[in-house]
């Protein structure tokens, strides 16, 4: 992309590969990304039963280094990053001073004084700016590494076997929410195991110039196991079935982690102050005294698909709002995630519907996630 053409979407290092595979491309958070290669239902089911290969290079990597890297992150984020062991990762959030969620993040501790913060594509610049601003006074450096990495992911029950065929890294010893440096198909990589599909899987951070070589090697290694390229569309239905929140849908600046039912990520016991502490203390007290709306699952009794923004109703009264909705290839029914009033949030609550263009379609309230893989 030329510096003068700032409106054109950015392209990942795998752009030519996606186009050669006939992918349907879409603009997502300023990136030209594959939506699907063929049938999104087939891609979804491949991940549930075999394996799928994803390009996630639009995610935003930010490196934080220096003697006070841990102290900076403890101040800037709501979690206790100083307590994360080297080689481990943690799910956390960055909030505004008023407690509103700026983004949810995965933070890897790569070395004693080196962390990698992975932000959502749509919020990468916001997170970078906030970390840079909050670094004032700390002996630490915040570095924009978005152009330094391509990110590939192999997800699904066959993913460990596929990856073992192309690496001698200790995958069996790689725990959930951990990362280790290794070589995959001759390419140096940070191999992580965090997942976002509800299945076992691995994320591979590599240099952009190595991405195409690695993609091809993985496709070849996984061919016999039924590995297929997968786009953003099935990534969304997979995370929906797994009950995982998506920024801009279940998480926004209008909500605190306590409003989103994720107050557990806020660590008040860590040393020192952190951005949003005062507001989040009040939010925690508020949530205790008067429970906020609860994030629940809704399963359709009919065939009509709910969409984000549709109202949830009971006895003619609005009791909540759908944040995500889609047909579920695994369950064979339309699903929704919604915030609903606590009085209607218990699994099995009756008389709940979604207003779909004026018609109140009946839905069953269930606990999240909709889908859990067999261990």
């Amino acid at each position: 992309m030329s510096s003068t053409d700032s409106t054109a979407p950015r392209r990942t290092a795998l752009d030519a590969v996606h186009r050669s595979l006939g992918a349907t491309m879409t603009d997502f958070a300023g990136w030209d990304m594959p939506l699907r290669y063929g049938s999104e239902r087939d891609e979804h089911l491949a991940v549930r039963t075999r394996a799928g290969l994803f390009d996630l290079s639009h995610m935003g990597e930010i490196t934080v280094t220096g003697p006070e890297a841990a102290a900076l992150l403890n101040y800037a984020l709501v979690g206790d990053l100083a307590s994360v062991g080297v080689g481990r990762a943690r799910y956390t959030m960055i909030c505004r001073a008023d407690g509103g969620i700026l983004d949810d993040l995965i933070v890897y501790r790569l070395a004693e004084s080196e962390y990698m913060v992975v932000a959502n594509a749509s919020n990468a610049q916001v997170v970078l700016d906030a970390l840079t601003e909050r670094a004032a006074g700390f002996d630490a450096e915040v570095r924009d590494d978005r152009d330094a990495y391509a990110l590939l992911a192999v997800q699904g029950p066959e993913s460990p076997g596929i990856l073992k065929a192309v690496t001698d890294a200790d995958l069996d010893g790689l725990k959930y929410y951990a990362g280790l440096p290794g070589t995959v198909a001759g390419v140096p990589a940070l191999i992580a195991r965090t997942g976002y599909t509800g299945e076992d899987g691995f994320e591979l951070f590599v240099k952009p110039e190595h991405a195409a070589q690695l993609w091809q090697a993985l496709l070849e290694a996984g061919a016999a196991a039924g590995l297929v390229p997968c786009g953003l569309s099935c990534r969304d239905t997979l995370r929906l079935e797994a009950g995982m929140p998506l920024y801009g849908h279940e998480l926004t600046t209008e909500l605190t982690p306590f409003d989103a039912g994720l107050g557990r990520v806020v660590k008040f016991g860590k040393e020192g102050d952190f951005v949003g502490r005062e507001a989040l203390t009040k939010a925690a007290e508020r949530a205790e005294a008067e429970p906020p709306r609860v994030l629940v699952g809704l399963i359709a009794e009919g065939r009509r698909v709910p969409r984000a923004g549709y109202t949830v109703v009971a006895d003619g009264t609005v009791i909540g709002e759908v944040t995500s909705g889609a047909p579920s290839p695994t369950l064979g029914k339309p699903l929704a995630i919604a915030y609903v009033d606590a009085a209607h949030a218990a699994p099995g609550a009756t008389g709940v519907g979604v207003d779909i263009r004026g018609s109140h379609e009946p839905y069953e309230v269930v606990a999240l996630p909709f889908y859990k893989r067999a261990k």
Side-chain angles (χ1 to χ4, degrees), residues 272-309:
D273 194 16
F274 63 91
V275 177
R277 180 191 274 275
E278 190 179 338
L280 289 168
T281 301
K282 289 175 182 169
E285 292 166 353
R286 214 166 41 241
E288 187 121 349
E290 186 184 336
R293 282 182 165 174
V294 180
L295 201 59
V296 300
L298 300 174
I299 300 181
E301 294 179 22
R303 309 302 307 166
R304 299 183 74 183
V305 178
R307 298 297 180 193

Side-chain angles (χ1 to χ4, degrees), residues 37-55:
Y37 298 85
S39 156
E40 53 204 46
R41 182 178 181 276
D42 290 350
E43 291 171 22
H44 179 111
L45 294 174
V47 174
R48 286 276 176 259
T49 59
R50 304 185 307 276
L53 178 61
F54 295 82
D55 178 10

Side-chain angles (χ1 to χ4, degrees), residues 5 35 55 73 153 324 330 345:
D5 191 6
L35 190 63
D55 178 10
L73 290 173
S324 296
T330 305

Side-chain angles (χ1 to χ4, degrees), residues 38-355:
S39 156
E40 53 204 46
R41 182 178 181 276
D42 290 350
E43 291 171 22
H44 179 111
L45 294 174
V47 174
R48 286 276 176 259
T49 59
R50 304 185 307 276
L53 178 61
F54 295 82
D55 178 10
L56 304 182
S57 302
H58 59 314
M59 301 294 280
E61 296 87 7
I62 301 161
T63 304
V64 180
T65 57
E68 293 187 303
L72 162 58
L73 290 173
N74 266 18
Y75 169 71
L77 311 180
V78 300
D80 185 357
L81 285 308
S83 67
V84 177
V86 173
R88 298 308 302 264
R90 184 155 298 167
Y91 176 78
T92 187
M93 294 182 183
I94 183 167
C95 290
R96 301 190 306 196
D98 67 0
I101 303 166
L102 283 172
D103 200 13
D104 61 335
L105 312 163
I106 294 178
V107 180
Y108 297 87
R109 190 167 197 169
L110 304 179
E112 190 61 35
S113 58
E114 181 180 3
Y115 292 80
M116 181 169 68
V117 177
V118 182
N120 286 298
S122 55
N123 295 327
Q125 189 64 48
V126 169
V127 174
L128 176 66
D129 291 346
L131 287 175
T132 302
E133 183 184 321
R134 295 173 189 187
F138 288 93
D139 186 3
E141 181 197 348
V142 176
R143 188 172 72 234
D144 181 359
D145 269 348
R146 285 176 288 179
D147 292 336
Y149 292 103
L151 176 57
L152 283 65
V154 186
Q155 299 283 307
E158 298 289 343
S159 58
I162 292 167
L163 205 54
K164 279 178 184 175
V166 290
T167 185
D168 56 6
D170 179 17
L171 299 185
D172 293 333
L174 183 63
K175 296 185 175 72
Y176 187 52
Y177 265 75
L180 85 162
T183 301
V184 184
V187 169
L190 171 67
I191 307 167
R193 195 175 201 166
T194 61
Y196 49 86
T197 58
E199 301 298 337
D200 193 9
F202 302 88
E203 300 79 48
L204 308 169
F205 295 86
V206 299
K207 289 182 177 177
E209 58 265 30
H210 294 151
Q213 173 190 335
L214 181 56
W215 177 278
Q216 193 56 41
L218 290 167
L219 275 187
E220 289 169 10
L227 174 78
V228 300
C230 293
L232 289 177
S233 190
C234 83
R235 184 176 179 229
D236 192 47
T237 52
L238 289 160
R239 73 90 196 166
L240 177 63
E241 289 181 352
M244 293 185 176
L246 179 64
Y247 196 89
H249 290 257
E250 289 72 40
L251 309 174
T252 71
T253 51
E254 304 307 308
L255 299 172
T256 72
F258 294 95
D259 296 321
L262 291 166
R264 65 181 181 276
V265 305
V266 182
K267 304 301 181 188
F268 291 116
K270 63 180 175 177
E271 277 185 41
D273 194 16
F274 63 91
V275 177
R277 180 191 274 275
E278 190 179 338
L280 289 168
T281 301
K282 289 175 182 169
E285 292 166 353
R286 214 166 41 241
E288 187 121 349
E290 186 184 336
R293 282 182 165 174
V294 180
L295 201 59
V296 300
L298 300 174
I299 300 181
E301 294 179 22
R303 309 302 307 166
R304 299 183 74 183
V305 178
R307 298 297 180 193
Y310 286 11
T311 54
V312 183
V313 293
D315 303 321
T317 304
V318 173
I319 60 157
E321 185 176 302
V322 170
T323 53
S324 296
S328 165
T330 305
L331 278 67
K333 296 178 179 181
L335 304 180
I337 298 178
Y339 281 109
V340 301
D341 294 343
H344 298 274
T350 56
V352 173
V354 175
D355 187 336

Side-chain angles (χ1 to χ4, degrees), residues 13-23 37 211-213 215-216 219:
L14 291 164
D15 184 76
V17 174
H18 301 317
R19 292 171 195 278
S20 73
L21 291 169
Y37 298 85
Q213 173 190 335
W215 177 278
Q216 193 56 41
L219 275 187

